[in-house]
Amino acid sequence: MGSTDLHGNLFNWDYYLNREFDDYAHNDVGLAKISTLVNDVRSAVGRHRTLLLDAGDTIQGTPLAYYYAKVEPITRGAHVHPMAAAMNAIGYNAAALGNHEFNYGLAVLRTFERQLDFPLLAANALDVGTGLPAFPPYVVKTLWRTGGAPLRVGVLGLTNPGIAVWDRAHVDGVLTFPGLVEQALHWVPEIRRKSDLVIVVAHSGADLSSSLGDQVPFPENCAELLAETVPGIDAILVGHAHVEIPSRFVTNKVTGRPVLLTEPLYWGKRLSVMEFDLRHDEHWELAGARSSVLSSASVREDPRIVRLLRHDHERVVSYVNARVGTCASAMSAARSRFEDTPALRFINHVQALEVAKSTSLPVLSLCAPFNRAAAIPAGEVSIRDVAGLYIFDNTLVGVRMTAGQVRDLLEESARYFRQVPAGPVAAADVSADVPDYNFDIAYGLTAPLTYDIDISRPVGSRIADLRFGGVEVPDSFEFAVAVNNYRQAGGGDFPHIAAAPVLHNQQQEIRQLLIDWVKAAGVLDPATFAGADWRLVAGGEPVVVSTNE
């Protein structure tokens, strides 16, 4: 059995909306529901015939994850991380490291590792000093068949090489992250000699792709390539890509044998179940394999997990519902992908204010519409209201860039849209296959940075009428640009920004800066942030995008 990309989801709860989680497909989330699915499988086939694995990204992604990393951090030694406590109670056997395990630094990660009753695996996270794996590369678990020979299952863990870019501040000079295929070629033969069945747990998407460009010489997503290239693998539990793969077979080009791949949907929405038919003569042989996914929406939360961790959950609920100020009128991010909104301008304004303290250059800011559902109501404002605008645990960085470089960056951002001749258009018809977090919107602090995105033009020539304070600026004109650490580290492979000189980096969490601003101001008034500095146009004419949000 396998889960992946749990991202701090313990219970079926939405901390930002303060109610049970629900989405358009009526999925449920959380380890408490995964536990029930696991119990059902173990009851059906016998616990001694099962293993339970996870493919990473466990301790970041919800206010619960943030709380036990930053507010009441597990590094103080007084508390076991709720995700560790739950996974121990459920009885996980091994897990691969995800890239988001590194977001809070190595001290938090190592503390989490010590709290687990099972190994965190990462064959391609190497110690810079020794060149050896800094975490266990694999584990061999022995399953005893009643009245027969023991079955030895080798589990190899692989993480994502993008960690070297995305969390450079935490790992640079400490760890290196070579490619998954390269490390698997080294380790699988050793594991094969010790095992009857070899399963890889890989925090890397199935389809070959990368958002890293040429920043690292290894692909971000390559689980299929792994299956094709490395002989001796029987199955791969896939993670990182946040897509559902109930079952997929890939033929290994060396052996000609099929390799089973599966990826359960993220946040505990699904549990993958891999089944292996084995026969034993002088040794075990794999006769067949299959997989499926089980939906957590079909079961209740395991009451044992609920009882064990209810108080940890309630601490977080109390924290996120604490009042920090008031809002003069409702403010929503629902249309921030298609028009300039006070919600995104508020984020950009706060980012720009901080960077302005470190420079005399004119300041721009960039941010993306992370959460389409984000909305701050009129009246009292809580931590969860503000936090909903910024759901990632990013820190603020200021860099020096020229106007020409900013234009190039905005051209890359404009890839977010499909090329369409005119409006009005539906959101589904104009949105390309680009994540929302890779659509950066620009803002000028002391003067507006105005520009059009002309979606009738091809990619690379869409930014029109770029002006600062109403005046065209030469390409050599310099700005200080406020961005998050993910973008500054090269996330999304945007041009120029990773190489730009750093002007400001005080490890300030952007979400906390927003919360602190509201606390200090007392009142958040969307009218203060009203404006239309950028427009979506086609042939110079404004485009209206219709949405169901």
Side-chain angles (χ1 to χ4, degrees), residues 2 5 12 75 86 102 107 130 185 203 232 273 280 294 319 342 428 467 481-482:
D5 296 279
N12 188 48
T75 49
F102 293 84
T130 66
L185 284 167
H203 194 75
V273 178
H280 187 271
L294 304 177
Y319 166 73
R467 296 171 179 268
V481 183

mmCIF file of all heavy atoms in Angstrom, residues 2 5 12 75 86 102 107 130 185 203 232 273 280 294 319 342 428 467 481-482:
data_model
loop_
_atom_site.group_PDB
_atom_site.id
_atom_site.type_symbol
_atom_site.label_atom_id
_atom_site.label_comp_id
_atom_site.label_asym_id
_atom_site.label_seq_id
_atom_site.Cartn_x
_atom_site.Cartn_y
_atom_site.Cartn_z
ATOM 1 N N GLY A 2 0.413 2.308 -0.617
ATOM 2 C CA GLY A 2 1.231 3.512 -0.696
ATOM 3 C C GLY A 2 0.417 4.790 -0.690
ATOM 4 O O GLY A 2 -0.634 4.889 -1.327
ATOM 5 N N ASP A 5 2.498 12.638 -0.933
ATOM 6 C CA ASP A 5 2.139 14.065 -0.933
ATOM 7 C C ASP A 5 1.016 14.358 0.050
ATOM 8 O O ASP A 5 0.027 15.029 -0.267
ATOM 9 C CB ASP A 5 1.773 14.511 -2.352
ATOM 10 C CG ASP A 5 2.965 14.408 -3.294
ATOM 11 O OD1 ASP A 5 3.795 15.331 -3.275
ATOM 12 O OD2 ASP A 5 3.082 13.401 -4.010
ATOM 13 N N ASN A 12 -9.642 15.277 7.968
ATOM 14 C CA ASN A 12 -10.408 15.815 6.837
ATOM 15 C C ASN A 12 -10.916 17.211 7.213
ATOM 16 O O ASN A 12 -12.108 17.418 7.451
ATOM 17 C CB ASN A 12 -11.577 14.883 6.498
ATOM 18 C CG ASN A 12 -12.280 15.299 5.217
ATOM 19 O OD1 ASN A 12 -11.634 15.545 4.211
ATOM 20 N ND2 ASN A 12 -13.599 15.400 5.274
ATOM 21 N N THR A 75 11.426 20.868 17.219
ATOM 22 C CA THR A 75 12.837 20.940 17.592
ATOM 23 C C THR A 75 13.041 21.314 19.056
ATOM 24 O O THR A 75 14.133 21.134 19.590
ATOM 25 C CB THR A 75 13.561 21.969 16.708
ATOM 26 O OG1 THR A 75 12.807 23.186 16.676
ATOM 27 C CG2 THR A 75 13.718 21.443 15.287
ATOM 28 N N ALA A 86 0.954 9.950 13.844
ATOM 29 C CA ALA A 86 -0.082 9.244 13.096
ATOM 30 C C ALA A 86 0.518 8.118 12.258
ATOM 31 O O ALA A 86 0.001 6.993 12.233
ATOM 32 C CB ALA A 86 -0.838 10.217 12.199
ATOM 33 N N PHE A 102 12.355 19.489 3.222
ATOM 34 C CA PHE A 102 13.501 20.356 3.501
ATOM 35 C C PHE A 102 13.106 21.811 3.732
ATOM 36 O O PHE A 102 13.968 22.634 4.050
ATOM 37 C CB PHE A 102 14.493 20.262 2.338
ATOM 38 C CG PHE A 102 15.146 18.912 2.210
ATOM 39 C CD1 PHE A 102 14.520 17.884 1.525
ATOM 40 C CD2 PHE A 102 16.378 18.662 2.786
ATOM 41 C CE1 PHE A 102 15.111 16.634 1.399
ATOM 42 C CE2 PHE A 102 16.990 17.417 2.672
ATOM 43 C CZ PHE A 102 16.348 16.400 1.985
ATOM 44 N N ALA A 107 17.276 20.905 10.694
ATOM 45 C CA ALA A 107 17.020 20.593 12.106
ATOM 46 C C ALA A 107 15.615 20.028 12.289
ATOM 47 O O ALA A 107 15.419 19.036 13.006
ATOM 48 C CB ALA A 107 17.220 21.837 12.966
ATOM 49 N N THR A 130 31.310 13.448 2.539
ATOM 50 C CA THR A 130 31.672 12.036 2.370
ATOM 51 C C THR A 130 31.269 11.463 1.017
ATOM 52 O O THR A 130 31.810 10.444 0.592
ATOM 53 C CB THR A 130 31.007 11.180 3.458
ATOM 54 O OG1 THR A 130 29.574 11.206 3.275
ATOM 55 C CG2 THR A 130 31.348 11.707 4.844
ATOM 56 N N LEU A 185 20.701 2.943 -10.623
ATOM 57 C CA LEU A 185 21.617 2.026 -11.309
ATOM 58 C C LEU A 185 22.703 1.516 -10.357
ATOM 59 O O LEU A 185 23.178 0.382 -10.481
ATOM 60 C CB LEU A 185 22.265 2.721 -12.513
ATOM 61 C CG LEU A 185 21.376 2.882 -13.748
ATOM 62 C CD1 LEU A 185 21.999 3.859 -14.747
ATOM 63 C CD2 LEU A 185 21.110 1.537 -14.415
ATOM 64 N N HIS A 203 10.036 10.120 -5.184
ATOM 65 C CA HIS A 203 9.357 11.416 -5.170
ATOM 66 C C HIS A 203 9.689 12.147 -6.464
ATOM 67 O O HIS A 203 10.419 13.156 -6.498
ATOM 68 C CB HIS A 203 9.755 12.242 -3.954
ATOM 69 C CG HIS A 203 8.832 13.406 -3.746
ATOM 70 N ND1 HIS A 203 7.555 13.263 -3.242
ATOM 71 C CD2 HIS A 203 8.970 14.718 -4.023
ATOM 72 C CE1 HIS A 203 6.967 14.433 -3.195
ATOM 73 N NE2 HIS A 203 7.805 15.343 -3.678
ATOM 74 N N GLY A 232 15.780 -4.742 -12.869
ATOM 75 C CA GLY A 232 15.657 -5.291 -11.525
ATOM 76 C C GLY A 232 14.582 -4.680 -10.660
ATOM 77 O O GLY A 232 14.372 -5.110 -9.530
ATOM 78 N N VAL A 273 -2.941 0.565 -3.912
ATOM 79 C CA VAL A 273 -2.783 -0.823 -3.473
ATOM 80 C C VAL A 273 -2.135 -1.594 -4.614
ATOM 81 O O VAL A 273 -2.708 -1.715 -5.701
ATOM 82 C CB VAL A 273 -4.136 -1.461 -3.095
ATOM 83 C CG1 VAL A 273 -3.937 -2.917 -2.681
ATOM 84 C CG2 VAL A 273 -4.805 -0.676 -1.976
ATOM 85 N N HIS A 280 6.815 -19.962 -5.361
ATOM 86 C CA HIS A 280 8.085 -20.346 -4.772
ATOM 87 C C HIS A 280 8.426 -21.774 -5.150
ATOM 88 O O HIS A 280 7.642 -22.698 -4.931
ATOM 89 C CB HIS A 280 8.044 -20.211 -3.246
ATOM 90 C CG HIS A 280 9.366 -20.428 -2.601
ATOM 91 N ND1 HIS A 280 9.821 -21.659 -2.196
ATOM 92 C CD2 HIS A 280 10.366 -19.542 -2.306
ATOM 93 C CE1 HIS A 280 11.020 -21.528 -1.669
ATOM 94 N NE2 HIS A 280 11.382 -20.258 -1.711
ATOM 95 N N LEU A 294 -7.703 3.365 -3.853
ATOM 96 C CA LEU A 294 -8.897 3.418 -3.017
ATOM 97 C C LEU A 294 -9.138 4.861 -2.600
ATOM 98 O O LEU A 294 -8.199 5.586 -2.263
ATOM 99 C CB LEU A 294 -8.721 2.546 -1.769
ATOM 100 C CG LEU A 294 -8.374 1.073 -2.008
ATOM 101 C CD1 LEU A 294 -8.169 0.361 -0.667
ATOM 102 C CD2 LEU A 294 -9.456 0.386 -2.822
ATOM 103 N N TYR A 319 -5.197 28.410 17.022
ATOM 104 C CA TYR A 319 -4.188 29.341 16.517
ATOM 105 C C TYR A 319 -4.682 30.066 15.273
ATOM 106 O O TYR A 319 -4.603 31.302 15.187
ATOM 107 C CB TYR A 319 -2.899 28.581 16.220
ATOM 108 C CG TYR A 319 -1.905 29.348 15.381
ATOM 109 C CD1 TYR A 319 -1.183 30.404 15.922
ATOM 110 C CD2 TYR A 319 -1.693 29.014 14.044
ATOM 111 C CE1 TYR A 319 -0.272 31.118 15.147
ATOM 112 C CE2 TYR A 319 -0.790 29.720 13.266
ATOM 113 C CZ TYR A 319 -0.080 30.775 13.815
ATOM 114 O OH TYR A 319 0.803 31.480 13.050
ATOM 115 N N PRO A 342 -7.210 43.693 -5.584
ATOM 116 C CA PRO A 342 -6.643 44.161 -4.316
ATOM 117 C C PRO A 342 -5.954 43.049 -3.536
ATOM 118 O O PRO A 342 -4.973 43.297 -2.833
ATOM 119 C CB PRO A 342 -7.868 44.701 -3.569
ATOM 120 C CG PRO A 342 -8.808 45.126 -4.649
ATOM 121 C CD PRO A 342 -8.625 44.110 -5.744
ATOM 122 N N ALA A 428 -11.402 28.157 -18.901
ATOM 123 C CA ALA A 428 -10.849 26.884 -19.382
ATOM 124 C C ALA A 428 -10.250 27.009 -20.773
ATOM 125 O O ALA A 428 -9.343 26.260 -21.137
ATOM 126 C CB ALA A 428 -11.936 25.810 -19.374
ATOM 127 N N ARG A 467 5.455 50.210 -18.772
ATOM 128 C CA ARG A 467 5.829 51.550 -18.301
ATOM 129 C C ARG A 467 5.970 51.549 -16.785
ATOM 130 O O ARG A 467 5.288 50.796 -16.084
ATOM 131 C CB ARG A 467 4.767 52.591 -18.697
ATOM 132 C CG ARG A 467 4.614 52.784 -20.205
ATOM 133 C CD ARG A 467 3.412 53.659 -20.546
ATOM 134 N NE ARG A 467 3.282 53.853 -21.981
ATOM 135 C CZ ARG A 467 3.812 54.869 -22.654
ATOM 136 N NH1 ARG A 467 4.473 55.826 -22.004
ATOM 137 N NH2 ARG A 467 3.646 54.968 -23.957
ATOM 138 N N VAL A 481 13.693 43.971 -6.991
ATOM 139 C CA VAL A 481 12.500 43.162 -7.232
ATOM 140 C C VAL A 481 12.288 42.207 -6.064
ATOM 141 O O VAL A 481 13.170 41.400 -5.738
ATOM 142 C CB VAL A 481 12.622 42.373 -8.553
ATOM 143 C CG1 VAL A 481 11.342 41.597 -8.824
ATOM 144 C CG2 VAL A 481 12.919 43.325 -9.713
ATOM 145 N N ALA A 482 11.124 42.302 -5.441
ATOM 146 C CA ALA A 482 10.760 41.415 -4.336
ATOM 147 C C ALA A 482 10.130 40.145 -4.892
ATOM 148 O O ALA A 482 9.186 40.212 -5.680
ATOM 149 C CB ALA A 482 9.788 42.123 -3.401
#
